[in-house]
Amino acid sequence: MELNKAGHVFLICGNHPIPIATSSCLPTIRSPFPSPVFSPSPPDSPAHSSSTLPLLSNNAALTKICDVTRYPAECLATIAPFLTGETNPISVLKIGIHALQKSFEEATAVATKVINDLSTTAAVKAPLDTCVESFDSGIAVLNDALTAISAHDIGRLSTKLSAALTYSDTCEEAFAEQPDLESPLKETDQHLDKLASINLAISASLQWS
């Protein structure tokens, strides 16, 4: 940079002085990072929209059945998509039992995947083994519950569905025995607990002659 006799400031670009206001000799500097692109947040998906569950209550009979449970909204969300034909406590209960069985199967798959992960420590694998055993027992006991429905054996049905309610607790208790461990299946077990509670409540409302 030089100052000529007239007091003008010049920038030396190569061998040629150029007024400082001229930027033609300055290289264009490009950021190595892409410019951020901002887009509006998408609307809530149907699965998470707060307006979804009320729409499921258009079936008055199903709403009445689910209202006897501690979790009527979850009951509606679980049963309504699979409900065909007549709506009565038996048909709703069967769908609920199958939904819980499916959830036990999915929980078993998740737990097994974590167990087989090479990064999973032995301390975590031990309670997970307990969880898998409990989930397998849950699937089996629900098969017995379906048999009890066919036989109209309300006592046996209540016993089996009460047992199904304990298996998610057994899984969580296995982790609770080691306070320094956090259960990776906590939300899964909470979901299983809700479905089991729903089924048990519906079964308690059955009236067989």
PDB file of all heavy atoms in Angstrom, residues 21-62:
ATOM      1  N   ALA A  21     -10.123   1.690  -3.531  1.00  0.00           N
ATOM      2  CA  ALA A  21     -11.560   1.433  -3.721  1.00  0.00           C
ATOM      3  C   ALA A  21     -11.801   0.352  -4.729  1.00  0.00           C
ATOM      4  O   ALA A  21     -12.893  -0.192  -4.828  1.00  0.00           O
ATOM      5  CB  ALA A  21     -12.272   2.722  -4.150  1.00  0.00           C
ATOM      6  N   THR A  22     -10.768   0.039  -5.555  1.00  0.00           N
ATOM      7  CA  THR A  22     -10.943  -0.984  -6.581  1.00  0.00           C
ATOM      8  C   THR A  22     -10.662  -2.346  -5.983  1.00  0.00           C
ATOM      9  O   THR A  22      -9.631  -2.542  -5.343  1.00  0.00           O
ATOM     10  CB  THR A  22      -9.980  -0.746  -7.758  1.00  0.00           C
ATOM     11  OG1 THR A  22     -10.204   0.555  -8.257  1.00  0.00           O
ATOM     12  CG2 THR A  22     -10.182  -1.779  -8.846  1.00  0.00           C
ATOM     13  N   SER A  23     -11.578  -3.294  -6.183  1.00  0.00           N
ATOM     14  CA  SER A  23     -11.428  -4.613  -5.547  1.00  0.00           C
ATOM     15  C   SER A  23     -11.116  -5.695  -6.547  1.00  0.00           C
ATOM     16  O   SER A  23     -11.147  -6.864  -6.223  1.00  0.00           O
ATOM     17  CB  SER A  23     -12.718  -4.975  -4.792  1.00  0.00           C
ATOM     18  OG  SER A  23     -13.808  -5.006  -5.674  1.00  0.00           O
ATOM     19  N   SER A  24     -10.797  -5.287  -7.817  1.00  0.00           N
ATOM     20  CA  SER A  24     -10.640  -6.297  -8.856  1.00  0.00           C
ATOM     21  C   SER A  24      -9.446  -7.193  -8.643  1.00  0.00           C
ATOM     22  O   SER A  24      -9.383  -8.297  -9.154  1.00  0.00           O
ATOM     23  CB  SER A  24     -10.544  -5.617 -10.228  1.00  0.00           C
ATOM     24  OG  SER A  24      -9.426  -4.734 -10.252  1.00  0.00           O
ATOM     25  N   CYS A  25      -8.442  -6.721  -7.885  1.00  0.00           N
ATOM     26  CA  CYS A  25      -7.275  -7.569  -7.696  1.00  0.00           C
ATOM     27  C   CYS A  25      -7.392  -8.459  -6.485  1.00  0.00           C
ATOM     28  O   CYS A  25      -6.520  -9.247  -6.191  1.00  0.00           O
ATOM     29  CB  CYS A  25      -6.005  -6.714  -7.578  1.00  0.00           C
ATOM     30  SG  CYS A  25      -5.869  -5.890  -5.986  1.00  0.00           S
ATOM     31  N   LEU A  26      -8.478  -8.271  -5.718  1.00  0.00           N
ATOM     32  CA  LEU A  26      -8.653  -9.094  -4.526  1.00  0.00           C
ATOM     33  C   LEU A  26      -9.312 -10.403  -4.897  1.00  0.00           C
ATOM     34  O   LEU A  26     -10.298 -10.417  -5.612  1.00  0.00           O
ATOM     35  CB  LEU A  26      -9.527  -8.349  -3.497  1.00  0.00           C
ATOM     36  CG  LEU A  26      -8.958  -7.015  -3.002  1.00  0.00           C
ATOM     37  CD1 LEU A  26      -9.929  -6.381  -2.010  1.00  0.00           C
ATOM     38  CD2 LEU A  26      -7.590  -7.212  -2.352  1.00  0.00           C
ATOM     39  N   PRO A  27      -8.784 -11.517  -4.449  1.00  0.00           N
ATOM     40  CA  PRO A  27      -9.380 -12.810  -4.787  1.00  0.00           C
ATOM     41  C   PRO A  27     -10.727 -12.987  -4.107  1.00  0.00           C
ATOM     42  O   PRO A  27     -10.964 -12.452  -3.028  1.00  0.00           O
ATOM     43  CB  PRO A  27      -8.345 -13.821  -4.258  1.00  0.00           C
ATOM     44  CG  PRO A  27      -7.685 -13.118  -3.126  1.00  0.00           C
ATOM     45  CD  PRO A  27      -7.607 -11.666  -3.548  1.00  0.00           C
ATOM     46  N   THR A  28     -11.598 -13.698  -4.767  1.00  0.00           N
ATOM     47  CA  THR A  28     -12.893 -14.023  -4.160  1.00  0.00           C
ATOM     48  C   THR A  28     -12.715 -15.185  -3.200  1.00  0.00           C
ATOM     49  O   THR A  28     -12.209 -16.240  -3.573  1.00  0.00           O
ATOM     50  CB  THR A  28     -13.912 -14.410  -5.236  1.00  0.00           C
ATOM     51  OG1 THR A  28     -14.056 -13.291  -6.126  1.00  0.00           O
ATOM     52  CG2 THR A  28     -15.260 -14.745  -4.620  1.00  0.00           C
ATOM     53  N   ILE A  29     -13.102 -14.991  -1.966  1.00  0.00           N
ATOM     54  CA  ILE A  29     -12.942 -16.040  -0.944  1.00  0.00           C
ATOM     55  C   ILE A  29     -14.274 -16.739  -0.760  1.00  0.00           C
ATOM     56  O   ILE A  29     -15.279 -16.113  -0.439  1.00  0.00           O
ATOM     57  CB  ILE A  29     -12.480 -15.435   0.389  1.00  0.00           C
ATOM     58  CG1 ILE A  29     -11.136 -14.705   0.186  1.00  0.00           C
ATOM     59  CG2 ILE A  29     -12.352 -16.508   1.450  1.00  0.00           C
ATOM     60  CD1 ILE A  29     -10.630 -14.000   1.423  1.00  0.00           C
ATOM     61  N   ARG A  30     -14.265 -18.010  -0.993  1.00  0.00           N
ATOM     62  CA  ARG A  30     -15.494 -18.801  -0.844  1.00  0.00           C
ATOM     63  C   ARG A  30     -15.419 -19.623   0.433  1.00  0.00           C
ATOM     64  O   ARG A  30     -14.403 -20.253   0.715  1.00  0.00           O
ATOM     65  CB  ARG A  30     -15.693 -19.724  -2.049  1.00  0.00           C
ATOM     66  CG  ARG A  30     -15.811 -18.970  -3.370  1.00  0.00           C
ATOM     67  CD  ARG A  30     -16.033 -19.927  -4.517  1.00  0.00           C
ATOM     68  NE  ARG A  30     -16.074 -19.240  -5.794  1.00  0.00           N
ATOM     69  CZ  ARG A  30     -17.156 -18.642  -6.273  1.00  0.00           C
ATOM     70  NH1 ARG A  30     -18.279 -18.669  -5.573  1.00  0.00           N
ATOM     71  NH2 ARG A  30     -17.116 -18.031  -7.439  1.00  0.00           N
ATOM     72  N   SER A  31     -16.516 -19.636   1.149  1.00  0.00           N
ATOM     73  CA  SER A  31     -16.565 -20.441   2.373  1.00  0.00           C
ATOM     74  C   SER A  31     -16.572 -21.916   2.014  1.00  0.00           C
ATOM     75  O   SER A  31     -17.239 -22.332   1.076  1.00  0.00           O
ATOM     76  CB  SER A  31     -17.834 -20.102   3.171  1.00  0.00           C
ATOM     77  OG  SER A  31     -18.013 -21.011   4.226  1.00  0.00           O
ATOM     78  N   PRO A  32     -15.790 -22.707   2.760  1.00  0.00           N
ATOM     79  CA  PRO A  32     -15.807 -24.157   2.491  1.00  0.00           C
ATOM     80  C   PRO A  32     -17.096 -24.821   2.937  1.00  0.00           C
ATOM     81  O   PRO A  32     -17.323 -25.985   2.680  1.00  0.00           O
ATOM     82  CB  PRO A  32     -14.611 -24.662   3.314  1.00  0.00           C
ATOM     83  CG  PRO A  32     -14.493 -23.685   4.436  1.00  0.00           C
ATOM     84  CD  PRO A  32     -14.864 -22.351   3.840  1.00  0.00           C
ATOM     85  N   PHE A  33     -17.962 -24.075   3.653  1.00  0.00           N
ATOM     86  CA  PHE A  33     -19.195 -24.653   4.168  1.00  0.00           C
ATOM     87  C   PHE A  33     -20.380 -24.135   3.371  1.00  0.00           C
ATOM     88  O   PHE A  33     -20.422 -22.967   2.994  1.00  0.00           O
ATOM     89  CB  PHE A  33     -19.390 -24.294   5.643  1.00  0.00           C
ATOM     90  CG  PHE A  33     -18.221 -24.691   6.497  1.00  0.00           C
ATOM     91  CD1 PHE A  33     -17.305 -23.752   6.920  1.00  0.00           C
ATOM     92  CD2 PHE A  33     -18.037 -26.010   6.845  1.00  0.00           C
ATOM     93  CE1 PHE A  33     -16.222 -24.124   7.694  1.00  0.00           C
ATOM     94  CE2 PHE A  33     -16.965 -26.388   7.624  1.00  0.00           C
ATOM     95  CZ  PHE A  33     -16.046 -25.446   8.045  1.00  0.00           C
ATOM     96  N   PRO A  34     -21.350 -24.972   3.080  1.00  0.00           N
ATOM     97  CA  PRO A  34     -22.520 -24.512   2.327  1.00  0.00           C
ATOM     98  C   PRO A  34     -23.342 -23.541   3.136  1.00  0.00           C
ATOM     99  O   PRO A  34     -23.354 -23.596   4.360  1.00  0.00           O
ATOM    100  CB  PRO A  34     -23.302 -25.814   2.082  1.00  0.00           C
ATOM    101  CG  PRO A  34     -22.872 -26.714   3.193  1.00  0.00           C
ATOM    102  CD  PRO A  34     -21.430 -26.376   3.451  1.00  0.00           C
ATOM    103  N   SER A  35     -23.965 -22.608   2.442  1.00  0.00           N
ATOM    104  CA  SER A  35     -24.825 -21.659   3.141  1.00  0.00           C
ATOM    105  C   SER A  35     -26.002 -22.386   3.746  1.00  0.00           C
ATOM    106  O   SER A  35     -26.559 -23.308   3.144  1.00  0.00           O
ATOM    107  CB  SER A  35     -25.332 -20.600   2.152  1.00  0.00           C
ATOM    108  OG  SER A  35     -24.251 -19.900   1.582  1.00  0.00           O
ATOM    109  N   PRO A  36     -26.375 -22.025   4.970  1.00  0.00           N
ATOM    110  CA  PRO A  36     -27.505 -22.705   5.598  1.00  0.00           C
ATOM    111  C   PRO A  36     -28.789 -22.457   4.829  1.00  0.00           C
ATOM    112  O   PRO A  36     -29.017 -21.368   4.318  1.00  0.00           O
ATOM    113  CB  PRO A  36     -27.561 -22.081   7.004  1.00  0.00           C
ATOM    114  CG  PRO A  36     -26.899 -20.745   6.844  1.00  0.00           C
ATOM    115  CD  PRO A  36     -25.821 -20.936   5.809  1.00  0.00           C
ATOM    116  N   VAL A  37     -29.593 -23.481   4.716  1.00  0.00           N
ATOM    117  CA  VAL A  37     -30.880 -23.361   4.037  1.00  0.00           C
ATOM    118  C   VAL A  37     -31.972 -23.476   5.079  1.00  0.00           C
ATOM    119  O   VAL A  37     -32.041 -24.465   5.809  1.00  0.00           O
ATOM    120  CB  VAL A  37     -31.055 -24.465   2.980  1.00  0.00           C
ATOM    121  CG1 VAL A  37     -32.425 -24.364   2.347  1.00  0.00           C
ATOM    122  CG2 VAL A  37     -29.957 -24.349   1.933  1.00  0.00           C
ATOM    123  N   PHE A  38     -32.791 -22.488   5.191  1.00  0.00           N
ATOM    124  CA  PHE A  38     -33.846 -22.481   6.185  1.00  0.00           C
ATOM    125  C   PHE A  38     -35.166 -22.790   5.513  1.00  0.00           C
ATOM    126  O   PHE A  38     -35.496 -22.224   4.479  1.00  0.00           O
ATOM    127  CB  PHE A  38     -33.912 -21.117   6.876  1.00  0.00           C
ATOM    128  CG  PHE A  38     -32.665 -20.761   7.630  1.00  0.00           C
ATOM    129  CD1 PHE A  38     -31.693 -19.961   7.060  1.00  0.00           C
ATOM    130  CD2 PHE A  38     -32.455 -21.258   8.903  1.00  0.00           C
ATOM    131  CE1 PHE A  38     -30.536 -19.645   7.749  1.00  0.00           C
ATOM    132  CE2 PHE A  38     -31.293 -20.945   9.594  1.00  0.00           C
ATOM    133  CZ  PHE A  38     -30.329 -20.138   9.023  1.00  0.00           C
ATOM    134  N   SER A  39     -35.870 -23.716   6.088  1.00  0.00           N
ATOM    135  CA  SER A  39     -37.179 -24.063   5.550  1.00  0.00           C
ATOM    136  C   SER A  39     -38.161 -24.128   6.700  1.00  0.00           C
ATOM    137  O   SER A  39     -37.780 -24.425   7.829  1.00  0.00           O
ATOM    138  CB  SER A  39     -37.128 -25.429   4.846  1.00  0.00           C
ATOM    139  OG  SER A  39     -36.698 -26.425   5.743  1.00  0.00           O
ATOM    140  N   PRO A  40     -39.403 -23.865   6.453  1.00  0.00           N
ATOM    141  CA  PRO A  40     -40.390 -23.902   7.542  1.00  0.00           C
ATOM    142  C   PRO A  40     -40.529 -25.303   8.088  1.00  0.00           C
ATOM    143  O   PRO A  40     -40.367 -26.288   7.385  1.00  0.00           O
ATOM    144  CB  PRO A  40     -41.684 -23.433   6.855  1.00  0.00           C
ATOM    145  CG  PRO A  40     -41.461 -23.733   5.401  1.00  0.00           C
ATOM    146  CD  PRO A  40     -39.995 -23.513   5.169  1.00  0.00           C
ATOM    147  N   SER A  41     -40.759 -25.381   9.387  1.00  0.00           N
ATOM    148  CA  SER A  41     -40.932 -26.690  10.012  1.00  0.00           C
ATOM    149  C   SER A  41     -42.162 -27.364   9.454  1.00  0.00           C
ATOM    150  O   SER A  41     -43.192 -26.726   9.251  1.00  0.00           O
ATOM    151  CB  SER A  41     -41.082 -26.524  11.538  1.00  0.00           C
ATOM    152  OG  SER A  41     -39.934 -25.896  12.072  1.00  0.00           O
ATOM    153  N   PRO A  42     -42.046 -28.690   9.206  1.00  0.00           N
ATOM    154  CA  PRO A  42     -43.207 -29.391   8.662  1.00  0.00           C
ATOM    155  C   PRO A  42     -44.299 -29.482   9.705  1.00  0.00           C
ATOM    156  O   PRO A  42     -44.025 -29.466  10.900  1.00  0.00           O
ATOM    157  CB  PRO A  42     -42.639 -30.780   8.340  1.00  0.00           C
ATOM    158  CG  PRO A  42     -41.487 -30.939   9.291  1.00  0.00           C
ATOM    159  CD  PRO A  42     -40.902 -29.558   9.424  1.00  0.00           C
ATOM    160  N   PRO A  43     -45.521 -29.580   9.294  1.00  0.00           N
ATOM    161  CA  PRO A  43     -46.614 -29.725  10.267  1.00  0.00           C
ATOM    162  C   PRO A  43     -46.512 -31.054  10.970  1.00  0.00           C
ATOM    163  O   PRO A  43     -45.835 -31.973  10.512  1.00  0.00           O
ATOM    164  CB  PRO A  43     -47.874 -29.653   9.388  1.00  0.00           C
ATOM    165  CG  PRO A  43     -47.405 -30.115   8.042  1.00  0.00           C
ATOM    166  CD  PRO A  43     -45.991 -29.605   7.913  1.00  0.00           C
ATOM    167  N   ASP A  44     -47.137 -31.158  12.115  1.00  0.00           N
ATOM    168  CA  ASP A  44     -47.122 -32.409  12.859  1.00  0.00           C
ATOM    169  C   ASP A  44     -47.633 -33.535  12.000  1.00  0.00           C
ATOM    170  O   ASP A  44     -48.626 -33.401  11.288  1.00  0.00           O
ATOM    171  CB  ASP A  44     -48.005 -32.301  14.120  1.00  0.00           C
ATOM    172  CG  ASP A  44     -47.389 -31.373  15.142  1.00  0.00           C
ATOM    173  OD1 ASP A  44     -46.165 -31.151  15.055  1.00  0.00           O
ATOM    174  OD2 ASP A  44     -48.127 -30.869  16.001  1.00  0.00           O
ATOM    175  N   SER A  45     -46.941 -34.670  12.050  1.00  0.00           N
ATOM    176  CA  SER A  45     -47.405 -35.837  11.315  1.00  0.00           C
ATOM    177  C   SER A  45     -48.622 -36.405  12.009  1.00  0.00           C
ATOM    178  O   SER A  45     -48.826 -36.170  13.200  1.00  0.00           O
ATOM    179  CB  SER A  45     -46.299 -36.895  11.268  1.00  0.00           C
ATOM    180  OG  SER A  45     -45.998 -37.349  12.569  1.00  0.00           O
ATOM    181  N   PRO A  46     -49.448 -37.172  11.300  1.00  0.00           N
ATOM    182  CA  PRO A  46     -50.653 -37.724  11.935  1.00  0.00           C
ATOM    183  C   PRO A  46     -50.347 -38.522  13.180  1.00  0.00           C
ATOM    184  O   PRO A  46     -51.113 -38.544  14.122  1.00  0.00           O
ATOM    185  CB  PRO A  46     -51.232 -38.612  10.814  1.00  0.00           C
ATOM    186  CG  PRO A  46     -50.742 -37.987   9.551  1.00  0.00           C
ATOM    187  CD  PRO A  46     -49.372 -37.462   9.870  1.00  0.00           C
ATOM    188  N   ALA A  47     -49.168 -39.189  13.193  1.00  0.00           N
ATOM    189  CA  ALA A  47     -48.846 -40.042  14.336  1.00  0.00           C
ATOM    190  C   ALA A  47     -48.608 -39.231  15.594  1.00  0.00           C
ATOM    191  O   ALA A  47     -48.734 -39.739  16.699  1.00  0.00           O
ATOM    192  CB  ALA A  47     -47.609 -40.887  14.026  1.00  0.00           C
ATOM    193  N   HIS A  48     -48.215 -37.930  15.441  1.00  0.00           N
ATOM    194  CA  HIS A  48     -47.901 -37.133  16.607  1.00  0.00           C
ATOM    195  C   HIS A  48     -48.818 -35.937  16.774  1.00  0.00           C
ATOM    196  O   HIS A  48     -48.645 -35.152  17.686  1.00  0.00           O
ATOM    197  CB  HIS A  48     -46.450 -36.648  16.515  1.00  0.00           C
ATOM    198  CG  HIS A  48     -45.449 -37.760  16.507  1.00  0.00           C
ATOM    199  ND1 HIS A  48     -45.031 -38.360  15.342  1.00  0.00           N
ATOM    200  CD2 HIS A  48     -44.810 -38.402  17.510  1.00  0.00           C
ATOM    201  CE1 HIS A  48     -44.156 -39.315  15.619  1.00  0.00           C
ATOM    202  NE2 HIS A  48     -44.013 -39.348  16.922  1.00  0.00           N
ATOM    203  N   SER A  49     -49.765 -35.784  15.896  1.00  0.00           N
ATOM    204  CA  SER A  49     -50.662 -34.648  15.993  1.00  0.00           C
ATOM    205  C   SER A  49     -51.596 -34.783  17.182  1.00  0.00           C
ATOM    206  O   SER A  49     -52.130 -35.853  17.449  1.00  0.00           O
ATOM    207  CB  SER A  49     -51.497 -34.524  14.708  1.00  0.00           C
ATOM    208  OG  SER A  49     -52.476 -33.522  14.861  1.00  0.00           O
ATOM    209  N   SER A  50     -51.762 -33.691  17.905  1.00  0.00           N
ATOM    210  CA  SER A  50     -52.620 -33.741  19.090  1.00  0.00           C
ATOM    211  C   SER A  50     -54.080 -33.926  18.715  1.00  0.00           C
ATOM    212  O   SER A  50     -54.913 -34.233  19.573  1.00  0.00           O
ATOM    213  CB  SER A  50     -52.445 -32.447  19.896  1.00  0.00           C
ATOM    214  OG  SER A  50     -52.801 -31.331  19.105  1.00  0.00           O
ATOM    215  N   SER A  51     -54.417 -33.718  17.424  1.00  0.00           N
ATOM    216  CA  SER A  51     -55.812 -33.835  17.015  1.00  0.00           C
ATOM    217  C   SER A  51     -56.159 -35.235  16.529  1.00  0.00           C
ATOM    218  O   SER A  51     -57.284 -35.508  16.160  1.00  0.00           O
ATOM    219  CB  SER A  51     -56.103 -32.831  15.896  1.00  0.00           C
ATOM    220  OG  SER A  51     -55.322 -33.121  14.753  1.00  0.00           O
ATOM    221  N   THR A  52     -55.158 -36.152  16.535  1.00  0.00           N
ATOM    222  CA  THR A  52     -55.389 -37.488  15.983  1.00  0.00           C
ATOM    223  C   THR A  52     -56.266 -38.331  16.894  1.00  0.00           C
ATOM    224  O   THR A  52     -57.248 -38.914  16.467  1.00  0.00           O
ATOM    225  CB  THR A  52     -54.061 -38.218  15.742  1.00  0.00           C
ATOM    226  OG1 THR A  52     -53.279 -37.435  14.837  1.00  0.00           O
ATOM    227  CG2 THR A  52     -54.310 -39.603  15.152  1.00  0.00           C
ATOM    228  N   LEU A  53     -55.907 -38.389  18.166  1.00  0.00           N
ATOM    229  CA  LEU A  53     -56.620 -39.281  19.072  1.00  0.00           C
ATOM    230  C   LEU A  53     -58.110 -38.951  19.188  1.00  0.00           C
ATOM    231  O   LEU A  53     -58.929 -39.862  19.170  1.00  0.00           O
ATOM    232  CB  LEU A  53     -55.954 -39.262  20.451  1.00  0.00           C
ATOM    233  CG  LEU A  53     -54.566 -39.911  20.497  1.00  0.00           C
ATOM    234  CD1 LEU A  53     -54.005 -39.848  21.914  1.00  0.00           C
ATOM    235  CD2 LEU A  53     -54.617 -41.351  20.018  1.00  0.00           C
ATOM    236  N   PRO A  54     -58.519 -37.694  19.321  1.00  0.00           N
ATOM    237  CA  PRO A  54     -59.955 -37.420  19.391  1.00  0.00           C
ATOM    238  C   PRO A  54     -60.717 -37.922  18.185  1.00  0.00           C
ATOM    239  O   PRO A  54     -61.880 -38.292  18.299  1.00  0.00           O
ATOM    240  CB  PRO A  54     -60.000 -35.892  19.493  1.00  0.00           C
ATOM    241  CG  PRO A  54     -58.701 -35.522  20.113  1.00  0.00           C
ATOM    242  CD  PRO A  54     -57.718 -36.491  19.535  1.00  0.00           C
ATOM    243  N   LEU A  55     -60.063 -37.933  16.998  1.00  0.00           N
ATOM    244  CA  LEU A  55     -60.754 -38.395  15.803  1.00  0.00           C
ATOM    245  C   LEU A  55     -61.108 -39.871  15.897  1.00  0.00           C
ATOM    246  O   LEU A  55     -62.028 -40.339  15.258  1.00  0.00           O
ATOM    247  CB  LEU A  55     -59.868 -38.160  14.575  1.00  0.00           C
ATOM    248  CG  LEU A  55     -59.603 -36.690  14.215  1.00  0.00           C
ATOM    249  CD1 LEU A  55     -58.668 -36.607  13.017  1.00  0.00           C
ATOM    250  CD2 LEU A  55     -60.909 -35.966  13.907  1.00  0.00           C
ATOM    251  N   LEU A  56     -60.349 -40.615  16.708  1.00  0.00           N
ATOM    252  CA  LEU A  56     -60.590 -42.040  16.835  1.00  0.00           C
ATOM    253  C   LEU A  56     -61.830 -42.324  17.678  1.00  0.00           C
ATOM    254  O   LEU A  56     -62.291 -43.449  17.719  1.00  0.00           O
ATOM    255  CB  LEU A  56     -59.368 -42.720  17.469  1.00  0.00           C
ATOM    256  CG  LEU A  56     -58.058 -42.620  16.680  1.00  0.00           C
ATOM    257  CD1 LEU A  56     -56.927 -43.272  17.454  1.00  0.00           C
ATOM    258  CD2 LEU A  56     -58.196 -43.262  15.311  1.00  0.00           C
ATOM    259  N   SER A  57     -62.336 -41.340  18.366  1.00  0.00           N
ATOM    260  CA  SER A  57     -63.461 -41.548  19.278  1.00  0.00           C
ATOM    261  C   SER A  57     -64.810 -41.465  18.583  1.00  0.00           C
ATOM    262  O   SER A  57     -65.839 -41.412  19.238  1.00  0.00           O
ATOM    263  CB  SER A  57     -63.395 -40.509  20.412  1.00  0.00           C
ATOM    264  OG  SER A  57     -63.524 -39.200  19.896  1.00  0.00           O
ATOM    265  N   ASN A  58     -64.818 -41.425  17.235  1.00  0.00           N
ATOM    266  CA  ASN A  58     -66.079 -41.389  16.514  1.00  0.00           C
ATOM    267  C   ASN A  58     -66.894 -42.659  16.728  1.00  0.00           C
ATOM    268  O   ASN A  58     -68.099 -42.671  16.557  1.00  0.00           O
ATOM    269  CB  ASN A  58     -65.821 -41.184  15.010  1.00  0.00           C
ATOM    270  CG  ASN A  58     -65.293 -39.788  14.704  1.00  0.00           C
ATOM    271  OD1 ASN A  58     -65.530 -38.864  15.472  1.00  0.00           O
ATOM    272  ND2 ASN A  58     -64.574 -39.650  13.603  1.00  0.00           N
ATOM    273  N   ASN A  59     -66.217 -43.764  17.067  1.00  0.00           N
ATOM    274  CA  ASN A  59     -66.890 -45.011  17.372  1.00  0.00           C
ATOM    275  C   ASN A  59     -67.338 -44.963  18.833  1.00  0.00           C
ATOM    276  O   ASN A  59     -66.538 -45.158  19.746  1.00  0.00           O
ATOM    277  CB  ASN A  59     -65.936 -46.189  17.125  1.00  0.00           C
ATOM    278  CG  ASN A  59     -66.627 -47.538  17.257  1.00  0.00           C
ATOM    279  OD1 ASN A  59     -67.521 -47.717  18.088  1.00  0.00           O
ATOM    280  ND2 ASN A  59     -66.193 -48.491  16.448  1.00  0.00           N
ATOM    281  N   ALA A  60     -68.611 -44.697  19.025  1.00  0.00           N
ATOM    282  CA  ALA A  60     -69.121 -44.517  20.387  1.00  0.00           C
ATOM    283  C   ALA A  60     -68.969 -45.770  21.234  1.00  0.00           C
ATOM    284  O   ALA A  60     -68.658 -45.696  22.433  1.00  0.00           O
ATOM    285  CB  ALA A  60     -70.588 -44.093  20.332  1.00  0.00           C
ATOM    286  N   ALA A  61     -69.166 -46.932  20.608  1.00  0.00           N
ATOM    287  CA  ALA A  61     -69.058 -48.188  21.362  1.00  0.00           C
ATOM    288  C   ALA A  61     -67.626 -48.409  21.832  1.00  0.00           C
ATOM    289  O   ALA A  61     -67.389 -48.822  22.974  1.00  0.00           O
ATOM    290  CB  ALA A  61     -69.519 -49.355  20.490  1.00  0.00           C
ATOM    291  N   LEU A  62     -66.657 -48.130  20.967  1.00  0.00           N
ATOM    292  CA  LEU A  62     -65.249 -48.291  21.340  1.00  0.00           C
ATOM    293  C   LEU A  62     -64.862 -47.297  22.424  1.00  0.00           C
ATOM    294  O   LEU A  62     -64.157 -47.643  23.376  1.00  0.00           O
ATOM    295  CB  LEU A  62     -64.362 -48.113  20.114  1.00  0.00           C
ATOM    296  CG  LEU A  62     -62.845 -48.187  20.365  1.00  0.00           C
ATOM    297  CD1 LEU A  62     -62.470 -49.528  20.990  1.00  0.00           C
ATOM    298  CD2 LEU A  62     -62.077 -47.964  19.075  1.00  0.00           C
TER     299      LEU A  62
END
